[in-house]
Amino acid sequence: MENLNMPASQTNGDSGSEAGLSKEQQDITLIDLEDYNITDKDMLLERIYNDKNGKSNTKSALGMYIEIPTSYPIDLQAFSSYFLQELSQGVNLFSAQRWSENFGRVFVGISDKSPDEKVPCELISAENPESLKYRQVSSGRTISPTQLVETNSLQGGSNLVLLNSAFTSIEGLLINVTHMLDELIWNLALSDGKRTANSYSQAVRYVRDTGISFEFANEEEILSKYISDTYNNKVRLYGSRKSKTVPFVLGCVVPNALPKTKSLNQLDAYSQNEAPKSVEVKEVNSYEVTIGITTAKEIHAGHLLLFLTANSFAKCIDATVIVSANNTGPRVNATITSLQKEVESLLGRDITLEQANQILSSLPLSVTQRLYQMRNEDFVPSINSDFSTLKFATEQNMVLLRLLGLNVNYILDTDCNPIGAINYAFSNTPGYFPELGLGFTSLRGGQSANYLDNGEFTAVGASLANMINLAINDDGLKGIAYFDHESSTAIASKVITEQLGIPVYQPSGAAIGFGGEIASGTKGNSIRLKEIYDFITRYGQQLGIDSSEIMNLGMNALTFSLFSNYYISDLHPNNYSANTFYDFASKEYFFEFFKSQIGSYRQVQNNIQNVLNTLERDETVNRDDSSAKRLYALVARSEAITRMTPEKLLQVISSQTVLKKDKVNVQMFIDMGYSEQESLRKIEDVEANNLFICKRSHPYFEYINFLLTMDIQDLMSLTGEQKNSIKKAILTVKKLFS
């Protein structure tokens, strides 16, 4: 709007503040109102904008937090009734007036509250911990507001509220209605030229008693209504412009314009937050095992540890790890934009983002990694495409894993038909508004999941789509084991389990670090898979072991080390913000450690074979009674191993043990290549709760460790049936090393 000076947008929620003008802005000379007509709209809006009507901006932390409804059309009468009830609460009366005086900041979102704790709106301070339970959402798509409200909820009382009929979003409508209700009460609260807590309270009661009617009008009609009686009729502008789907001219209030038809005091409770129904968790016959990796860059040692952790379960159930190749989202979109600019510079002409996307799908990994690292995420365009972005780079990454002798498959995010998957799962679920570009749901524990925002899938939405496609296919229903430490995956897992009844487990992934810092391919401080491949090849030549055998030996040794060594965490590992990783003093020491693990694992192999050879012998010897208890425990464990279900396996693998401080010692860090002095500093970090020492669990590894503590002579005292139980268990756990 030309020549109209606007204040800076606020940072919290919708803000709603129209204050903040400088003295120069306030001193604008305005012509008399009778000289205005609707064609002088810019000047008219400037006058309205500068008329603060007794309000001021003192940067109050108070806000009206609105829970976005899980269904629409919205009952405006019921919403208004609850809003007025919230303002009239005894503890809120003074706060409500201060909130209104500061232009009534409004925050529309979803809260992490249990369904029975959710309320349509509440007046609280941003400093109140309760405000942190709300997360802002944006549908991003606009439709006629008449489609968002119940038609029979428009007429209700003598006070008229004109709402702008411009297309808006569902959150935009709620912001608009809230501001206009505030405007109506504020104007009625004027008494003897001022507003007091008492006059504000009386205004709230008056509106509840006399009721409200709503009408929709275009901007010109709203301004004409204002011109007809500027003393009583007040226009509200949306000065902050925080939400792009809210019209600048919100509407106009006309007190006592209509005959009284309905009071807001006797309305039914506002209940448009239906809780999704939880379902029983279904039984499944098999599980899909998956990890998520962005395949625009070369996968590295950290990804390898993540894969081996997942593979430690996959092998137990004869499954293959599926890499969910992340080829969508802001990072990939930023990479596409980098390519677009580079190609345009080379060609000397513009290309579309879709053309850049197609080019990216056929580029080698070396090029996509460079583009990925030079990406700029300050402005990331929306790119909705089902094109197989990064397909060639993804296949090259899979070749790197297969060079190491690993069995792996992959699926691109764009091949998952995310829209179809989400429609399948949530088409009849409260909170799913695909036509508005918004989708959210609540969990039993009160946590909320926002899976569709601004018409695009969030990280939670992408995880949901992947899991649904993996779980529901032509082979029937499967469970999901998603090895990852991301909070978005955790939320998606809960949604899938609670609302679709699909069992989903989320064991923590694995990562690697050096010198106390987690390694990253983006930072370039990790170890490339090609380096690991070359190292194992050279070491195999030194040992005189052929390529395929040494690769298998190396991967099994590294897997064994994941469950026999400690890893660190900068926060408690149950915190999804924690950085958990196997920490080595340096990259060089990692390779020395790798050599030692190969040696240790070969010794374990030999010891297991010695046990099997002993169990094959027919002779028996008398045992010492002191060993009877341990032998009994071994037989019991053996039988438990052969009967162990995938669910039990996952429960154990998902557990993480945090060592007590008195169990942490200097040698643990020396074993990872640190000097004694450096190790002592690590101990100090542990004492100060700046570092946690953790260990993974796996039933098969724990069984092997217990088995190898047994005396050979004691094993020979077992009966034939007992020996067979142990042999059967050993063959079961040896799946890990096939």
Side-chain angles (χ1 to χ4, degrees), residues 390-682:
L390 299 171
K391 185 175 179 63
F392 186 41
T394 301
E395 289 176 344
Q396 286 188 299
N397 266 321
M398 296 305 104
V399 168
L400 289 172
L401 286 171
R402 291 175 186 131
L403 277 174
L404 294 170
L406 302 172
N407 185 21
V408 60
N409 286 327
Y410 76 91
I411 181 170
L412 296 170
D413 282 355
T414 49
D415 291 341
C416 286
N417 184 18
I419 295 174
I422 296 297
N423 279 335
Y424 172 87
F426 300 104
S427 59
N428 297 313
T429 302
Y432 183 40
F433 309 135
E435 68 283 1
L436 302 180
L438 184 64
F440 61 93
T441 190
S442 296
L443 297 165
R444 278 197 297 264
Q447 197 171 23
S448 293
N450 182 24
Y451 52 87
L452 189 62
D453 197 73
N454 269 314
E456 295 188 1
F457 290 106
T458 63
V460 172
S463 294
L464 280 171
N466 282 339
M467 291 181 192
I468 292 166
N469 275 287
L470 288 170
I472 303 170
N473 52 47
D474 294 339
D475 297 331
L477 185 68
K478 295 184 178 181
I480 301 292
Y482 204 122
F483 285 75
D484 188 29
H485 192 66
E486 293 292 330
S487 59
S488 58
T489 307
I491 294 171
S493 300
K494 291 177 183 176
V495 173
I496 291 281
T497 301
E498 285 187 16
Q499 296 179 19
L500 299 183
I502 298 171
V504 179
Y505 292 83
Q506 189 199 4
S508 178
I512 195 170
F514 306 103
E517 182 182 2
I518 193 168
S520 162
T522 302
K523 294 179 182 177
N525 65 339
S526 191
I527 299 174
R528 298 168 57 229
L529 287 195
K530 185 65 165 59
E531 294 177 74
I532 294 176
Y533 173 80
D534 291 342
F535 162 77
I536 297 175
T537 300
R538 289 194 303 271
Y539 193 53
Q541 291 169 348
Q542 293 175 23
L543 298 176
I545 301 175
D546 68 49
S547 177
S548 62
E549 184 179 349
I550 190 61
M551 287 302 160
N552 186 56
L553 186 63
M555 293 302 99
N556 287 337
L558 205 51
T559 302
F560 198 84
S561 74
L562 292 173
F563 297 94
S564 55
N565 290 280
Y566 300 98
Y567 62 94
I568 69 170
S569 179
D570 57 355
L571 299 171
H572 193 284
N574 289 342
N575 187 324
Y576 285 106
S577 299
N579 287 310
T580 60
F581 55 97
Y582 291 87
D583 184 37
F584 300 90
S586 64
K587 294 181 183 179
E588 293 74 21
Y589 187 79
F590 167 75
F591 287 111
E592 291 303 314
F593 171 83
F594 200 168
K595 283 184 183 179
S596 70
Q597 293 302 295
I598 290 175
S600 297
Y601 173 67
R602 294 182 78 188
Q603 185 61 52
V604 168
Q605 278 188 312
N606 292 334
N607 291 343
I608 292 174
Q609 190 58 50
N610 287 339
V611 170
L612 281 173
N613 292 340
T614 299
L615 295 173
E616 291 292 340
R617 292 162 63 177
D618 291 332
E619 61 184 290
T620 58
V621 298
N622 294 327
R623 67 186 174 204
D624 186 342
D625 288 341
S626 63
S627 63
K629 187 174 181 180
R630 296 185 75 247
L631 285 170
Y632 176 81
L634 175 62
V635 173
R637 284 193 179 196
S638 300
E639 293 172 350
I641 282 289
T642 56
R643 294 196 305 266
M644 187 165 286
T645 63
E647 290 78 14
K648 181 61 178 177
L649 264 171
L650 283 168
Q651 287 171 11
V652 177
I653 294 172
S654 298
S655 65
Q656 301 178 85
T657 301
V658 179
L659 266 66
K660 294 181 179 179
K661 293 178 183 179
D662 59 359
K663 299 295 183 182
V664 179
N665 58 66
V666 170
Q667 190 60 44
M668 293 177 178
F669 301 103
I670 292 176
D671 289 345
M672 294 295 108
Y674 286 99
S675 68
E676 185 173 349
Q677 187 174 3
E678 290 169 328
S679 300
L680 287 170
R681 285 199 292 268
K682 297 282 188 184

Side-chain angles (χ1 to χ4, degrees), residues 611-612 615 631 634-639 641-642 703 707 710 714-715 718-733:
V611 170
L612 281 173
L615 295 173
L631 285 170
L634 175 62
V635 173
R637 284 193 179 196
S638 300
E639 293 172 350
I641 282 289
T642 56
Y703 176 79
L707 173 69
M710 305 302 296
D714 288 338
L715 293 175
L718 294 171
T719 66
E721 184 178 351
Q722 290 171 327
K723 288 179 180 179
N724 285 334
S725 292
I726 297 171
K727 285 191 288 185
K728 189 176 179 181
I730 292 174
L731 292 176
T732 299
V733 300

Side-chain angles (χ1 to χ4, degrees), residues 98-119:
R98 282 195 297 121
W99 170 75
S100 183
E101 187 176 358
N102 281 273
F103 297 97
R105 183 174 64 88
V106 179
F107 188 105
V108 179
I110 53 178
S111 71
D112 289 333
K113 296 183 178 184
S114 61
D116 57 345
E117 292 178 328
K118 289 181 184 288
V119 292

Side-chain angles (χ1 to χ4, degrees), residues 205-273:
R205 285 198 299 271
Y206 178 80
V207 173
R208 291 188 70 176
D209 290 340
T210 56
I212 304 168
S213 290
F214 296 91
E215 293 180 8
F216 287 101
N218 61 37
E219 190 173 285
E220 285 71 21
E221 291 168 334
I222 290 169
L223 295 176
S224 294
K225 180 68 74 172
Y226 170 70
I227 290 173
S228 68
D229 185 355
T230 59
Y231 182 80
N232 289 306
N233 304 344
K234 295 297 180 182
V235 166
R236 180 73 176 260
L237 303 180
Y238 186 56
S240 73
R241 309 307 296 269
K242 184 71 175 178
S243 172
K244 304 304 180 186
T245 63
V246 180
F248 179 57
V249 178
L250 293 173
C252 180
V253 295
V254 187
N256 304 309
L258 303 168
K260 177 182 176 181
T261 57
K262 188 186 298 183
S263 166
L264 289 172
N265 288 313
Q266 305 300 322
L267 288 176
D268 294 334
Y270 177 75
S271 57
Q272 290 191 250
N273 275 287

